[in-house]
Amino acid sequence: MRRFARHSLTRRLVEAVLTLFGVAVLVFAMLRAIPGDQITATLGTESAALSPDQLASLRDYYGLDKPLPVQFFSWLGDIFTGNLGYSQRAGESVLAMTESALPITIELAILATIVGLVIGVPLAMLSASRPNGARDGVSQVIGLLALSIPNFLIAATLLTLISKYAHYNPNAGEFQHLFANPGVNLQQMMFPALVLGFGLAAPIMRTARTSLLEVSTADFMRTARGKGVAPMRLRVRHLLHNALNPIITMTGIQFGYLLGGAIVVEQIFSVPGIGQQVLVGMQQKDYAVVQSTVLVIATLFVLVNLLTDFLYRVVDPRVRAS
Amino acid sequence: MSDLLELEDLRVSAGPHEIVRGVDLAVPAGQTVAVVGESGSGKSLTMLSVMGLLSPPLRVSGGHVRLAGWELTGLHERQLREIRGNEVAMIYQDPMTSLNPLMRVGEQVMEAMTAHGVAKAQARERMLDLLARVGIPDPRRTARAYPHEFSGGMRQRVMIASALAMRPKLLIADEPTTALDVTIQQQILALVDELRQELGMTTIWVTHDLGVVARLVDRVVVMYAGHVVEDAPVRQVFAAPQHPYTASLLASLPDPNSDGRGRLATIPGRPPTSTQTITGCPFRPRCAQARDICAVRPELLPRTLPVSPTAAPAAAGGAVAEPAAGGGAAVAVEAATTRVACHVPPAEWR
């Protein structure tokens, strides 16, 4: 049994490495496939005025004259040494940029996920406690609204309302880091986290509702009721516990997406997260920034997936055994 | 003798369709009863309504359930909860799905006690005793196991332990051996019967296989299509069934003394579905003895029988041919009255 577990862990790790390699190839190829390069991006229309000699020397400087596979592996090799490249525009190493942007995004993702779970799971429990009843109807409508209203609309509306009527906009000032200034930081994170969390609550609620309804008809639920178990314990210890796995899956996927940066919401609330970093990198055709940041995001995504697998084991002893 | 359980014209419906169509049953304290019928006869639903465990769309649509004189129908969920697991407990059909897969078995047994106000430490101690009593080896260690680490028989033992934790007055065993290996079946039956005697519990066995419980019970209630068609002491049922359906059931039991070449008797046709309206005897369409009078709904009629002391259950085949082996077959019921829903006495059967 233990040997099998180790085997499956190895397999998952190999899969993860292959996935990341695929992502690296893809993002590298895509950046090269679209017209323009660092030179045109830096100089704009003026690049047309470059003499062939100047162009050649610039291409040599950026390493653009080398064959693509050589460029690819030199980038990949650098990454293993911790060198994510250098941003021409920011005049800063991508590693330094990521080190400052990533914790902000992770913090936002965690806060948003907490909001999503706190809204989504209780709503689902209410909804599933009497399917097709009034509570179910209300919860379902809220869920549908949260799914169908785009988050930038909620974000912009919220920002307008609070700043216009409450004269309160913590995001107007300079961004403060969590450990530097927790009070201000949490105020700045509150609204983007609420907006993202609200959007997250909808899929969590729907998944949880389906899962709870399925478990509620299980034989062991009848056994527990037959023992005279109190309703609260019945709902949490028997029902919710058994319904957790699909909820974990859905939350894991959503959390993974959030790590990719909530580009629009970060933009609206001026949160300098990883989403903004990629966005700016793309606008400026900053190869190193886009390539390396995307690879960092993909790595996190894969890690979150591994973590999800680990959580299944914590929840379900049967998964531990197999 | 006071009746512990009393069902009066009990009806269970799913939406507009009635599935249990007026069951009358009185079980005196201390008696062991078998409720027999094919799947779909309403026997399990009748027992689930005693526990108040029907889940929508099923509901009790009429009649009364009384336990020790207390009316259970219409009782608030909170009051029902005090009775469940405490006064009445149930062992279910499938031990593979009836235990919570994510909870240690010890906790599942303890839960039956803590739900009724037993302190945790005391519940833990009693849980270990109970596990040992139902034959689970090394309770201290196994209490920490999860259901998937147990075989079907072991799981059913855990179910039994949690059902008996509060020493209920009434135990309902709903086909507790159907899902088990044949070799395990006898062990589980014997265990439940032993505990029944030890705790002096009134017990209702729900089964589709009369042969399995024949030697454990005092009395047999035969259900068909949501009706009770015959209700009689076990010896009489085997010796002289008064309803043609009971007779057909008995005839379809395999006879271990035969050479195995003959075909088993079957009952032609199919029971009516819950969507069908039944007038008269529900068994009439499949009954070889049916007369015109059967089209009028027969009530359960008392029919006193002359019981000869030699009325050995010959018709039953080997399952009851050796009652001595079971020990539990010391039937203390005298030649009681049979109640039957058939107007045609066996003497007039063709």
Side-chain angles (χ1 to χ4, degrees), chain A residues 4-313:
Chain A
F4 179 76
R6 199 180 302 143
H7 173 78
S8 95
L9 186 69
T10 322
R11 214 184 92 180
R12 307 241 11 147
L13 286 176
V14 170
E15 275 172 10
V17 169
L18 286 178
T19 307
L20 290 178
F21 185 78
V23 170
V25 172
L26 215 61
V27 66
F28 183 89
M30 263 154 62
L31 278 176
R32 265 80 188 162
I34 45 180
D37 54 27
Q38 270 147 314
I39 301 166
T40 55
T42 320
L43 299 176
T45 45
E46 286 169 40
S47 61
L50 291 172
S51 73
D53 277 354
Q54 285 172 312
L55 196 61
S57 81
L58 273 174
R59 289 178 65 88
D60 177 54
Y61 175 74
Y62 287 126
L64 295 177
D65 54 344
K66 301 210 178 65
L68 285 180
V70 176
Q71 291 185 38
F72 176 73
F73 283 106
S74 105
W75 166 57
L76 212 57
D78 281 349
I79 284 192
F80 280 108
T81 66
N83 174 9
L84 299 187
Y86 190 80
S87 164
Q88 252 79 45
R89 284 304 184 97
E92 211 182 343
S93 80
V94 180
L95 184 66
M97 290 167 70
T98 308
E99 271 172 0
S100 114
L102 192 60
I104 297 171
T105 294
I106 292 179
E107 185 195 348
L108 184 58
I110 290 175
L111 288 175
T113 305
I114 292 173
V115 172
L117 284 172
V118 165
I119 299 177
V121 174
L123 217 55
M125 290 187 80
L126 269 183
S127 170
S129 67
R130 203 159 296 162
N132 304 321
R135 286 187 261 176
D136 192 20
V138 172
S139 315
Q140 296 256 55
V141 167
I142 295 177
L144 202 63
L145 279 178
L147 264 187
S148 43
I149 305 179
N151 59 15
F152 59 81
L153 190 64
I154 302 177
T157 312
L158 190 65
L159 196 60
T160 311
L161 288 180
I162 54 170
S163 46
K164 188 170 176 191
Y165 295 106
H167 303 289
Y168 174 64
N169 184 1
N171 300 85
E174 202 189 326
F175 185 81
Q176 301 292 318
H177 285 269
L178 177 62
F179 297 110
N181 193 343
V184 176
N185 171 273
L186 285 178
Q187 289 183 52
Q188 290 177 327
M189 285 298 203
M190 178 170 63
F191 293 110
L194 276 175
V195 169
L196 290 173
F198 188 57
L200 207 63
I204 289 179
M205 185 273 206
R206 298 186 143 229
T207 311
R209 180 181 177 272
T210 311
S211 176
L212 288 165
L213 281 179
E214 201 185 300
V215 175
S216 66
T217 59
D219 283 351
F220 61 81
M221 287 300 294
R222 190 187 54 195
T223 308
R225 284 207 294 146
K227 285 192 277 195
V229 171
M232 201 56 203
R233 184 176 162 87
L234 196 65
R235 267 182 229 135
V236 175
R237 198 68 183 79
H238 292 272
L239 182 56
L240 183 58
H241 192 183
N242 275 281
L244 270 185
N245 271 356
I247 304 177
I248 291 174
T249 309
M250 180 47 84
T251 311
I253 293 171
Q254 300 288 339
F255 185 73
Y257 287 145
L258 283 181
L259 286 181
I263 296 180
V264 180
V265 174
E266 282 182 4
Q267 194 78 12
I268 292 176
F269 289 101
S270 329
V271 176
I274 204 104
Q276 282 216 25
Q277 182 174 318
V278 179
L279 185 65
V280 172
M282 280 201 280
Q283 282 165 347
Q284 303 180 337
K285 261 197 153 268
D286 213 339
Y287 280 7
V289 174
V290 179
Q291 272 173 198
S292 300
T293 315
V294 167
L295 202 57
V296 167
I297 291 170
T299 311
L300 285 175
F301 199 91
V302 169
L303 283 178
V304 168
N305 270 323
L306 286 175
L307 186 75
T308 313
D309 276 10
F310 173 73
L311 280 180
Y312 292 151
R313 281 160 195 275

Side-chain angles (χ1 to χ4, degrees), chain A residues 218-231 233 237-239 241-243 315-318 320-321, chain B residues 48 51-55 81 84-85 92 97-103 107-108 111-112 115-116 146 148 159 162:
Chain A
D219 283 351
F220 61 81
M221 287 300 294
R222 190 187 54 195
T223 308
R225 284 207 294 146
K227 285 192 277 195
V229 171
R233 184 176 162 87
R237 198 68 183 79
H238 292 272
L239 182 56
H241 192 183
N242 275 281
V315 168
D316 193 337
R318 287 168 298 182
R320 258 173 269 160
Chain B
L48 283 174
M51 297 281 289
L53 281 182
L54 294 175
S55 40
R81 215 167 61 229
R84 287 186 200 133
Y92 306 88
T97 56
S98 295
L99 289 167
N100 183 340
L102 307 187
M103 197 187 276
E107 191 182 347
Q108 301 198 42
E111 192 180 50
H116 296 286
Y146 288 96
H148 73 268
M159 289 297 300
S162 81

